[in-house]
Amino acid sequence: MDDLIAALAEALGEANVLVSQQDQAPFLTDWLGKYRGAARAVLRPGSTAEVAAAMRICARHEVPVVPQGGNTSMSGGATPDMSGRAVVLSLIRLNSIRSIDIVGNTITVDAGIVLAKVQQAAQEVGRFFPLSLGAEGSCTIGGNLAANAGGVAVLRYGTMRELTLGLEVVLADGRIWDGLTALRKDNTGYALRDLFIGSEGTLGIITGAVLKLFARPHARASAFVAVQDAAAALALLSAIRDHCGDRLTAFEFMTGECLALILRHIGDARLPLAIMPPAAVLIELSDQDDEPGLRERLEAALADSIETGLVHDAAIAQDGTQARAFWRIREGVSEALVREGKAAKHDVSMPVSAMADFVAAADVAVRAVAPGVRPIVFGHLGDGNLHYNLLPAEAQDAAAFAALAPALTRIVHDEIGRRRGSISAEHGIGQLRVAEMPLRKAPLELELMHQLKHLLDPAGLLNPGKLLPGKLLPASTPN
Ligand code: FAD
Ligand code: 2HG
Ligand code: ZN
């Protein structure tokens, strides 16, 4: 046993320092099967104090640390590189609910707790935690925070950043920042909390969080709606908002090609419409009202849109089972994509009004360089966020497509740049998009980011190779 492993084993217990290839394997590949890495050890601390001890030891030995939660990253954010120099620091043993404050409407949790457990704990006390995404059964609150996750209810409740009040963070040198406050108003200086949210494990290890709870919606109404294209879906978004206001909770778009892919690969997914539409939207309303009233409101809104020709056909869920069947279709997309092959993945955002034009322009541009390429387009239309995935042409060699993927990404991101959008709405930069950063961020913005990184992690040990490209920039000289 070398010095590093011996010190870590003493601090965490030998059983929580995994060194065999077999024990480490699940921590060294990503969910998409796109990245594989190597590690000196996988660490499984069981408390904030143990995380701090592990960080002190790693700092002393100059060992890079890759934080990991549920390992569901869509950008290779939690996978180490192949050098085998780093340790993976898994937070999954930090999985307790620390407290719930019903009056203050907050829940305080360890960062390694799985998102679904937080949703359930809120429900058990008659409250609601709204973050909702396909990976909720395995992703963790720490990963959600580090990625500033979005999901399907952002339209009404906001991203993880907007759902968070306080954080506890272990710094690169092992010091613990206790920012675990439940204050809704606090104007005492820079918002350190917001710096760590979305930092993808490059500035500190999040070990605890205070999250906002909400009133539990007693009524839900869901519809699966056929439309012509993204332009029609956007017009429908406005119409539904006019009729339903803040009750609109989710507005999820899928093209016909996307639906066909899901039906091909997801055995229990059923299209609730008579014929395959060119595109579809899954709409969800939620409220404190009675459920029949909410359903009637949605029916009335859709009836108007059918009359004006905006909607071709619609199915309204009559109960929770039907609603879950609608969501099964939407939540099957990522799995269907993985089963079909290796997609070139894009997670873009832009002004909502620019989305239809973006889809049309990007489709033409990618087909011009890759005839037969298959855009699989879906996402959180109401948030201005599309998952613009590209699959190889039928029968195209996977290696040839992989070689073309960077050029396709450049084209997609150029279209985004023209619309003043972002190359990552919710999945983060990770290692997938790190080479794009110098092309997409202003030099001043990148320089400030490097300086913040240098301040919090001077030795560059936290999640190297993710989010920020290249070497640290020299500090700028004021003139
Ligand atoms: P990991 O994958 O383990 O890590 C993610 C990043 O956070 C890495 O950079 C890692 O180093 C860092 N990290 C993890 N824990 C900590 C910590 N405690 N402290 C500091 N850094 C840490 N994302 C969305 O936003 N919206 C969606 O709708 C959505 N749907 C998904 C559906 C599926 C089927 C899958 C597989 C993924 C989906 N994702 C989605 C992406 C992913 O689930 C989320 O980004 C999630 O927030 C990651 O959580 P995790 O615990 O798995 O983090
Ligand atoms: C979703 O919205 C996720 O389902 C995953 O963000 C998107 O697989 C993807 O591209
Ligand atoms: Zn998404």
Side-chain angles (χ1 to χ4, degrees), residues 102-124:
I102 306 270
V103 177
N105 247 352
T106 60
I107 184 167
T108 304
V109 298
D110 283 348
I113 192 167
V114 167
L115 169 57
K117 292 237 167 79
V118 176
Q119 295 167 339
Q120 192 187 331
Q123 184 164 343
E124 280 163 11

Side-chain angles (χ1 to χ4, degrees), residues 9 13 19 54 87 93 114-115 121 125 145 207 230 252 262 286-287 347 458:
V19 287
V87 297
R93 285 183 62 233
V114 167
L115 169 57
V125 296
L145 284 160
T207 49
E252 294 291 311
I262 299 164
S286 59
D287 203 356
D347 164 42

Side-chain angles (χ1 to χ4, degrees), residues 1-14 16-19 24 39-43 57 61 63 85-87:
M1 210 187 280
D2 64 31
D3 283 358
L4 171 78
I5 302 299
L8 288 167
E10 195 184 341
L12 310 181
E14 216 166 300
N16 295 311
V17 181
L18 311 181
V19 287
Q24 289 187 3
R40 275 178 88 170
V42 173
L43 313 181
I57 294 166
H61 288 79
V63 169
R85 284 184 58 233
V87 297

Side-chain angles (χ1 to χ4, degrees), residues 31 66-74 77-78 91 111 132-135 138-140 142-144 146-152 200-201 204-207 334 380 426-427 463:
W31 189 89
V66 179
Q68 191 178 98
N71 198 15
T72 66
S73 170
M74 286 262 163
L91 278 296
S132 173
L133 46 94
S138 46
C139 65
T140 63
N144 300 150
N148 187 23
V152 296
E200 302 186 31
I205 313 287
I206 300 168
T207 49
S334 301
H380 319 289
E426 57 176 15
H427 295 166
N463 217 1

Side-chain angles (χ1 to χ4, degrees), residues 203-239:
L203 298 182
I205 313 287
I206 300 168
T207 49
V210 183
L211 307 172
K212 292 181 191 170
L213 295 177
F214 294 81
R216 201 168 122 206
H218 295 295
R220 284 182 196 280
S222 312
F224 202 90
V225 181
V227 292
Q228 186 58 38
D229 51 21
L234 286 172
L236 179 63
L237 175 64
S238 283

Side-chain angles (χ1 to χ4, degrees), residues 149-422:
V152 296
V154 170
L155 199 54
R156 173 126 173 215
Y157 294 100
T159 65
M160 196 59 181
R161 190 188 299 283
E162 286 142 302
L163 300 174
T164 305
L165 293 171
L167 287 187
E168 178 187 81
V169 180
V170 175
L171 302 182
D173 58 10
R175 281 179 298 165
I176 300 169
W177 173 56
D178 179 359
L180 217 47
T181 61
L183 305 176
R184 285 170 197 264
K185 301 180 87 172
D186 176 14
N187 277 354
T188 53
Y190 306 133
L192 295 181
R193 172 194 68 199
D194 289 339
L195 197 55
F196 290 108
I197 298 174
S199 66
E200 302 186 31
T202 64
L203 298 182
I205 313 287
I206 300 168
T207 49
V210 183
L211 307 172
K212 292 181 191 170
L213 295 177
F214 294 81
R216 201 168 122 206
H218 295 295
R220 284 182 196 280
S222 312
F224 202 90
V225 181
V227 292
Q228 186 58 38
D229 51 21
L234 286 172
L236 179 63
L237 175 64
S238 283
I240 298 288
R241 272 214 176 104
D242 288 347
H243 273 84
C244 307
D246 282 350
R247 296 174 188 87
L248 180 60
T249 310
F251 195 89
E252 294 291 311
F253 175 76
M254 289 159 275
T255 58
E257 291 79 9
C258 177
L259 291 172
L261 188 80
I262 299 164
L263 297 178
R264 188 178 325 153
H265 289 291
I266 307 297
D268 56 342
R270 301 273 174 278
L271 186 70
L273 304 169
I275 51 169
M276 175 64 88
V281 178
L282 174 49
I283 301 171
E284 187 175 283
L285 306 184
S286 59
D287 203 356
Q288 304 305 324
D289 288 356
D290 65 317
E291 202 146 289
L294 194 64
R295 208 176 305 133
E296 273 166 32
R297 184 181 284 276
L298 184 55
E299 269 164 16
L302 289 171
D304 277 3
S305 296
I306 288 174
E307 214 160 277
T308 58
L310 206 52
V311 165
H312 297 177
D313 190 8
I316 297 186
Q318 297 306 311
D319 54 33
T321 310
Q322 281 184 7
R324 276 191 294 281
F326 292 180
W327 278 105
R328 178 67 189 121
I329 301 171
R330 171 62 183 86
E331 280 164 4
V333 197
S334 301
E335 207 178 318
L337 277 162
V338 168
R339 290 191 191 170
E340 181 75 9
K342 289 237 172 359
K345 295 188 85 68
H346 306 101
D347 164 42
V348 293
S349 67
M350 67 208 91
V352 175
S353 54
M355 297 177 89
D357 180 54
F358 161 78
V359 174
D363 283 359
V364 170
V366 295
R367 285 186 176 124
V369 299
V373 68
R374 291 174 292 157
I376 302 294
V377 186
F378 65 102
H380 319 289
L381 201 82
D383 310 332
N385 174 196
L386 283 176
H387 300 305
Y388 189 86
N389 283 261
L390 293 171
L391 282 169
E394 300 280 357
Q396 185 180 10
D397 174 56
F401 183 70
L404 200 56
L408 294 173
T409 292
R410 200 87 359 129
I411 289 168
V412 173
H413 289 172
D414 283 349
E415 291 296 340
I416 281 301
R418 276 182 207 116
R419 291 162 181 82
R420 296 216 63 175
S422 163

